Amino acid sequence: MMSWLEAPPPEHSLRFSDGHGTWTSYPYTAMAEQVRRNAHRLHREGIGSGDVVLLLGQNTIGFVTTSPPKPPTGCRASTPGCAGSDTG
């Protein structure tokens, strides 16, 4: 499923509608680069393999490419007081 990030086919793109008849194409190559940047940013913030990250947004290109907000420092599902924790 994630192979498109490693070698995005330059001839493929996703198309998004603005809801008013205008469609915009976003090449896989550009989206893959932005997704990789966001993944590296989350990794620098301490999010790692196995961590759960919730993304909530509209069905737009921004949902795919926009950087999520910075997570609260030290917030994990097991951290008391963090949203989604069993103890908070």
Side-chain angles (χ1 to χ4, degrees), residues 18-85:
D18 67 0
H20 303 286
T22 301
W23 289 82
T24 305
S25 284
Y26 294 91
Y28 272 27
T29 50
M31 285 188 299
E33 178 58 32
Q34 187 62 45
V35 168
R36 283 191 298 269
R37 275 192 222 128
N38 291 336
H40 288 294
R41 179 176 164 260
L42 289 171
H43 186 261
R44 284 192 309 271
E45 295 292 338
I47 304 297
S49 180
D51 288 339
V52 176
V53 176
L54 171 67
L55 298 177
L56 180 63
Q58 295 180 338
N59 187 14
T60 66
I61 188 63
F63 186 80
V64 177
T65 62
T66 302
S67 286
K70 182 176 179 179
T73 304
C75 190
R76 296 283 185 271
S78 60
T79 304
C82 285
S85 73

